[in-house]
Amino acid sequence: MPVTRYSKGAMLLHWLIAIAVIVNWRLAEAAEHVPHDQHLQVLGPHMATGILILVLSLIRLGWRFTHAQPPLGSHLPKWEVVLARVVHVVFYVAMIGLPLMGWIGTSMQDHPIDFFGWFTVPMLPIAKDDHGGHELLELHGTFGNIFIYLIGLHILGALKHHFWDKDGELWRMLPFGQPRQPEA
């Protein structure tokens, strides 16, 4: 029988990363609204969550290369297939690139990352450059905002498939419901 949904491991990683990204976005937003002297207290969990997202994303990428993925529905128009593939590539780039940018920027500013009080993530061997680190972290924030908009579009696309098209595509990433059976 053909694979109609993602594996349980892929689902778990998808939803863990999704929750972590949303939490991290909210932490970054919260940091914008606290006094400057409390900024690093709020950003500490943001940086730790970023490292967690990086690790989970690398695991997810490895999982994707070693486990079968359900094929995209043959009922989908070509533009949706292309868009789905592009969005997935952009998501992987963002889920790995954004945490790396943050880690590089904090390393340039000589700020170690405390991983939720368990251990300190070593700084990358990069020359100290406060201004360059600041600029990189500003770019990290801009790309982070773009990533959030793309996530919003991804959610809208999933809702479109579920409520408008009623094609069962949403169930491919959930352990319940009925994905559409591939046409023979």
Side-chain angles (χ1 to χ4, degrees):
M1 180 161 212
V3 175
T4 59
R5 66 178 53 185
Y6 286 89
S7 66
K8 287 182 178 31
M11 288 183 211
L12 177 65
L13 289 165
H14 174 274
W15 293 108
L16 286 174
I17 293 168
I19 290 166
V21 166
I22 292 167
V23 165
N24 225 21
W25 165 54
R26 298 310 306 149
L27 287 169
E29 289 294 314
E32 296 292 322
H33 304 289
V34 297
H36 186 69
D37 61 332
Q38 296 173 6
H39 198 71
L40 282 178
Q41 288 176 326
V42 177
L43 281 180
H46 171 80
M47 291 184 281
T49 304
I51 295 296
L52 178 62
I53 291 167
L54 175 61
V55 170
L56 290 173
S57 297
L58 290 171
I59 292 169
R60 184 169 177 204
L61 190 60
W63 189 276
R64 184 172 180 93
F65 287 134
T66 59
H67 292 77
Q69 305 297 308
L72 291 171
S74 59
H75 66 286
L76 297 174
K78 181 74 172 165
W79 71 267
E80 282 190 7
V81 171
V82 170
L83 184 61
R85 289 194 173 125
V86 168
V87 165
H88 278 102
V89 169
V90 170
F91 277 6
Y92 279 107
V93 168
M95 292 181 313
I96 294 168
L98 282 167
L100 283 176
M101 286 177 74
W103 192 6
I104 292 167
T106 58
S107 294
M108 291 171 76
Q109 291 187 328
D110 205 26
H111 290 296
I113 299 172
D114 174 59
F115 193 78
F116 304 111
W118 296 347
F119 59 89
T120 300
V121 176
M123 288 187 292
L124 296 170
I126 296 172
K128 184 171 173 18
D129 179 359
D130 282 330
H131 178 72
H134 174 79
E135 292 300 316
L136 185 61
L137 292 173
E138 288 292 321
L139 191 60
H140 165 86
T142 300
F143 287 157
N145 287 332
I146 293 168
F147 185 38
I148 291 299
Y149 290 124
L150 289 174
I151 290 169
L153 289 173
H154 179 67
I155 292 168
L156 287 174
L159 294 174
K160 172 216 175 258
H161 281 284
H162 187 69
F163 292 110
W164 183 274
D165 300 339
K166 298 181 190 318
D167 62 8
E169 289 295 307
L170 179 65
W171 304 122
R172 292 161 29 100
M173 191 48 85
L174 293 168
F176 49 84
Q178 187 58 48
R180 183 178 187 151
Q181 294 298 318
E183 297 165 10

